[in-house]
Amino acid sequence: MSTISRSEVAHLARLARLDVTEEELDSFAGQLDVILQSMQSLRGVNTENVRPTSHAVPLTNVYRDDVVVPSLDRDRVLAGAPDAAEDRFRVPRILSEEE
Amino acid sequence: MNEAITNKTAAELAEAIRSGEHSAREVTQAFLDRIDALDGTIGAFLHVNHAGALATADEVDRAREAGEELGPLAGVPIAVKDIFCTQDMPTTAASKILEGWVPPYDSTIVQRIRAAKMPILGKTNMDEFAMGSSTEYSAYQLTRNPWDTHRIPGGSGGGSSAAVAARLAPLATGTDTGGSIRQPGAVTGTFGAKPTYGGTSRYGLIAFSSSLDTPGPVSRNTLDGALLHEVMGGHDPRDSTSIDQPVPPVVEAARTGANGDLSGVTLGVVKEFASGDTQGAEEGVLAAYRAGVATLEKLGAKIVEVSCPNFLHALPTYYLIAPSECSSNLARYDGVRYGVRVGDDGERSLEEVMSTTREAGFGPEVKRRIMLGTYALSAGYVDQFYGQAQKVRTLITQDFQTAFAKVDALISPTTPFIAFEFGARTSDPYQMYLSDLYTIPTNLYGGPAVSVPCGLSEGMPVGLQVMGPTMGDEITYQVAAALESTQGTLLADTAPELTAEGK
């Protein structure tokens, strides 16, 4: 039985902000199905009372002294942006004219 | 081409520069000349840094003439995987979405390489965002295996390993998330090490899967790898996952191992890897591996069988955890602050521009993994998939800990098969994922592991993997160096000669 449908893949693509083509939907649906089916084996592993591991090393917050230091050079940062205006990142319009 | 220089190991080059036999400029120029002559055949480099590399070499020569003490690898050139941020060179992670991007800062690893006065030859090709096992998912070019240019160089660090195997660079950096240093090492006949997670800084590394990504060295032999490991390693306060302990004494261990005496060392063979459950490991690979095990035994190592039952769950566990983390990490490629933007015509909304940018900028494997991760983290499935995988990760870690109570290190083949021909596994992603069958458990656990050549199958290199306990990297180097000491001339030195036309 299929674990993931074509329409679910289309929904995932929207969630992931990927404007996938119809052809990609077909191929991804088949491939993701094979991969997810292979992962079903994990459901049979007894993990009762097992704590999850999120990281291989224990993580603790690292704080640094509250000292003012120069930030990255603004011009260098903006030089890598797709578009900039007035020393800021320029992004596509979010609100329409009326809002 | 000056092969008298490019045939030398990194340790030999460092000594030649220190003694004045060669200037650092001569050495760097020799590798740049070889890149210019042969990289058209290999395709290892995405960017070659002629002027920058020579400028560093000149600094070394001036320092030497001034009588300054030089670091252990001063003047020895290095190639850097294109996943490390470099403020004077483009950094793309082999993705179209970062085409032409020059970072505003250096990664910690690159800072350390610069501090060690190692000339950076350029940036090496890789699978896009380090996702793949063949370097065929690079958005820019194919990298060819120097042993047979019809075959893949492994992945994701195929560019780095091919550069070292083809003697276009004596050393290179890699990153290993599920085997991306060790697997290319195995299939190109080079040495590759995944240090303990947290032993090398991830600051300024383009993130794929943050709980797994580990920078490490790629080299012709174990000692060279150890020398580079000591340059790269050590605590970094800018990385909260960095371990605040001294770098394990890997250079000393590589020198000890080179004596070829492993008496007192107990090595575990993983029963589950040796069984019929190895999912199609090639007989030639297993034969070369068994010969390697026999050699280790002759050197005095005690070989015992250990059981790590949960290793058989490592592949699905990894392919839930890594895509989940990648779907989160790659959300930053939204066409706002860096990289490319597609579809910003004044008509489309911000969300539409993001979707068209990501569709145009990402390749097929990256999209597959983003969607897989989005699925595994989505409401209704998160406990069943991602949550369960994190618990199985704990069980895999416990298997390692149980094993290391009995043995000093575990050994296995590095890969189930030799380098395959281009296109052989791209149509079936799961077949590609099997490349990392033996390497993935270590990433989930976080310990160190190396791949060292152990023989040939069908004329192609085979690697033996040595896995050690957390922050016990030295045992992996000791065992690898011991095995290497029995092989006389290194396998990398028996690779076919290259011409500009290819093999």
Side-chain angles (χ1 to χ4, degrees), chain A:
Chain A
M1 196 188 84
S2 175
T3 53
I4 186 163
S5 67
R6 193 176 180 281
S7 63
E8 280 180 294
V9 175
H11 179 59
L12 284 178
R14 276 194 299 279
L15 291 176
R17 304 279 185 270
L18 288 170
D19 191 16
V20 296
T21 63
E22 292 295 313
E23 282 171 8
E24 281 179 317
L25 272 186
D26 287 333
S27 63
F28 286 154
Q31 291 164 345
L32 290 178
D33 193 48
V34 171
I35 297 164
L36 286 168
Q37 295 224 19
S38 81
M39 291 167 179
Q40 297 290 338
S41 64
L42 285 193
R43 297 178 72 175
V45 181
N46 182 1
T47 54
E48 209 179 326
N49 300 321
V50 175
R51 290 168 61 91
T53 297
S54 67
H55 256 80
V57 292
L59 283 183
T60 49
N61 271 333
V62 177
Y63 299 99
R64 59 172 185 251
D65 294 335
D66 189 12
V67 178
V68 177
V69 292
S71 62
L72 289 172
D73 181 78
R74 186 173 57 197
D75 291 340
R76 291 193 68 153
V77 172
L78 289 175
D83 202 358
E86 298 173 29
D87 290 340
R88 296 172 178 86
F89 296 111
R90 197 195 70 75
V91 298
R93 183 184 296 278
I94 296 170
L95 302 174
S96 64
E97 299 283 353
E98 298 80 50
E99 285 175 277

Side-chain angles (χ1 to χ4, degrees), chain B residues 43 75 86 91 149 247 281 318 427 431 473 497:
Chain B
T86 44
T91 301
T149 53
V247 184
Y318 174 86
S427 61
Q431 284 299 310
D473 301 51
E497 276 307 310

